Amino acid sequence: MNVNSQIFSARSQKKTFNNPQRFIEGWYWVLPSRKLRKGEVKAVTVLGRELVIYRGQDKRVITFDAYCPHMGAHLAEGKVEGNELRCFFHNWKFDADGICVDIPCLGEPLPMKLKSWHTAEKYGMIWVWTGETPHQPLPFVPELEDEECYSALGSRFIKNCHPNVVMINAIDAQHFNTVHNLPLEIVFEKDELNENAITFSNTTRGGEDSFFIKLIRPFYKNAVTYSMCYWYGSTGTVTVGPDFLHFHIMFTLRMTEQGKAEGQTLLITKKRKGIFGWLFNSVVLSLTKMVGNYFAKGDTKIFQTIKFDMRTPIKADQSIMQFINHVERQKALSWETWLDARSRDIESSDRSKWRDEMTSD
């Protein structure tokens, strides 16, 4: 696909990208692992859907729809008993699979089941899969796929625009010069890892007058590596630095009401063992945080005021067009219901055809 066809495709078929009523089926962050203690239950809202999340005595995290099927009491008002959750209102109890196992007033449970959602933990975060069965892994740094990692939480932030718009910033080749004063000719190479993950990589040398390059120049002789891996259109991992020491930053976002973005930064490195390894990891993550802050500083005000509408794309925007097309090919779900958005498209199309037929008659 050439540049012109990529631009035409992205502009003419855009239904999911930057759409406040849609998101890609996938893994989304819920809250930091450390904020859910053993035996604790909390109410959370993710992508418009109200959920209840708790950690059982076996330390496993469980996620259900928020309301009891009996009279609609919010299950976050209840309590954890072992690995099960008991509703506060009438004391109905549900096991980790959502199956009702106790109704005190009846002496036996009824054959009912709460809607449960696949939940996992990685990089110090709790994640939930928004579909029925996960068919892709949790977001990860490609370079560290097979490594045990050491991670830390960075900043949490709110942006006044859609997560998709925040994501493309990392592959906006022009803004590295205009915003970050990195006078580099950046050309990204695309590689689709799977239907839900895509990478954009660039290896270049230059920008000798910029503060960032001066900061890291003593640590390398060859080109600086820069790559971005996107998962589900809303989580991105940046890998930057010299060959012997790469810095890894994950920006994981989820859409909030009115199409805004709530995000969490994660700092990640390969885990090195022993006390000296721990000290080295701590230093690397501190440097990683500095790198992340440097890039985030200039972009913050843009995301508070932008009204994204790419009406005049140029060749330099090729990677952005590729990302938009990648997003459009993924399975989209509807805000709040988490139902397949394509079914709504089909229903809308059928209604339009019916109206046309009635009008023609």
Side-chain angles (χ1 to χ4, degrees):
M1 183 181 287
N2 60 36
V3 176
N4 290 334
S5 62
Q6 288 169 352
I7 290 174
F8 176 79
S9 176
R11 295 187 66 184
S12 63
Q13 300 179 16
K14 190 170 66 174
K15 292 183 179 180
T16 302
F17 181 87
N18 195 31
N19 186 336
Q21 296 301 318
R22 293 189 178 189
F23 63 94
I24 301 301
E25 178 186 65
W27 288 103
Y28 290 84
W29 70 280
V30 181
L31 75 166
S33 295
R34 69 188 186 192
K35 293 194 174 182
L36 188 68
R37 299 187 300 271
K38 187 168 63 174
E40 189 173 17
V41 57
K42 288 190 174 183
V44 293
T45 300
V46 178
L47 296 161
R49 193 177 188 106
E50 293 183 85
L51 305 171
V52 62
I53 185 168
Y54 74 93
R55 190 186 295 278
Q57 291 302 311
D58 62 359
K59 298 183 180 180
R60 180 185 168 196
V61 178
I62 307 298
T63 305
F64 296 139
D65 276 350
Y67 297 96
C68 180
H70 181 215
M71 287 192 182
H74 201 298
L75 291 168
E77 302 293 339
K79 63 179 179 178
V80 179
E81 295 182 356
N83 298 319
E84 300 168 330
L85 182 64
R86 190 180 291 278
C87 178
F88 171 78
F89 198 15
H90 297 107
N91 288 174
W92 290 26
K93 186 163 71 170
F94 303 89
D95 68 12
D97 294 321
I99 297 173
C100 182
V101 295
D102 184 34
I103 299 177
C105 70
L106 291 182
E108 61 181 6
L110 294 175
M112 62 176 54
K113 186 178 184 296
L114 286 172
K115 176 61 181 176
S116 60
W117 301 95
H118 290 276
T119 310
E121 296 184 79
K122 190 180 181 74
Y123 300 137
M125 292 293 290
I126 297 171
W127 308 75
V128 64
W129 176 265
T130 55
E132 293 300 321
T133 303
H135 55 268
Q136 297 292 358
L138 287 159
F140 62 81
V141 181
E143 187 176 293
L144 303 178
E145 180 179 4
D146 300 319
E147 301 286 351
E148 187 178 358
C149 294
Y150 185 74
S151 61
L153 295 179
S155 60
R156 188 167 173 176
F157 53 88
I158 301 289
K159 301 298 183 183
N160 195 34
C161 61
H162 195 281
N164 292 159
V165 176
V166 180
M167 286 288 100
I168 63 173
N169 186 68
I171 51 172
D172 181 353
Q174 300 174 78
H175 100 286
F176 285 100
N177 187 351
T178 58
V179 176
H180 300 297
N181 191 31
L182 293 177
L184 307 173
E185 182 181 358
I186 296 178
V187 178
F188 288 108
E189 295 182 1
K190 178 194 71 170
D191 181 26
E192 296 196 61
L193 302 183
N194 56 55
E195 63 179 301
N196 294 119
I198 187 171
T199 64
F200 292 89
S201 302
N202 173 78
T203 302
T204 188
R205 186 178 177 90
E208 306 298 328
D209 295 330
S210 73
F211 171 76
F212 177 67
I213 295 299
K214 287 180 180 178
L215 179 66
I216 64 175
R217 175 62 73 195
F219 299 101
Y220 71 97
K221 295 180 180 180
N222 298 316
V224 176
T225 295
Y226 179 90
S227 66
M228 185 75 181
C229 179
Y230 292 104
W231 291 88
Y232 314 109
S234 59
T235 291
T237 62
V238 178
T239 295
V240 62
D243 289 339
F244 74 91
L245 181 61
H246 286 172
F247 302 104
H248 307 286
I249 310 167
M250 178 178 286
F251 300 93
T252 181
L253 286 74
R254 64 189 184 201
M255 186 169 61
T256 63
E257 289 185 327
Q258 299 177 339
K260 297 181 180 180
E262 180 180 13
Q264 175 70 56
T265 303
L266 304 175
L267 314 173
I268 305 166
T269 189
K270 175 183 175 181
K271 188 173 185 179
R272 300 161 183 90
K273 298 181 179 180
I275 183 64
F276 292 107
W278 178 84
L279 289 171
F280 187 78
N281 290 337
S282 299
V283 171
V284 171
L285 291 188
S286 295
L287 292 173
T288 304
K289 186 175 182 179
M290 291 175 58
V291 172
N293 289 342
Y294 172 79
F295 282 109
K297 184 178 179 180
D299 300 319
T300 299
K301 59 183 178 181
I302 299 297
F303 296 132
Q304 298 308 109
T305 57
I306 191 172
K307 299 295 182 184
F308 184 85
D309 184 8
M310 185 171 280
R311 289 170 290 184
T312 53
I314 60 177
K315 184 177 180 180
D317 300 319
Q318 180 179 4
S319 57
I320 296 175
M321 295 298 140
Q322 291 171 333
F323 174 74
I324 293 174
N325 287 327
H326 172 72
V327 168
E328 293 298 327
R329 291 195 298 271
Q330 298 179 64
K331 181 179 179 180
L333 303 180
S334 297
W335 168 264
E336 188 177 20
T337 66
W338 293 14
L339 296 176
D340 190 341
R342 289 175 297 184
S343 61
R344 223 175 244 192
D345 291 339
I346 294 172
E347 290 177 4
S348 178
S349 177
D350 288 344
R351 285 196 297 269
S352 296
K353 290 179 180 179
W354 180 81
R355 284 196 297 267
D356 292 342
E357 290 173 357
M358 294 296 290
T359 302
S360 63
D361 291 342

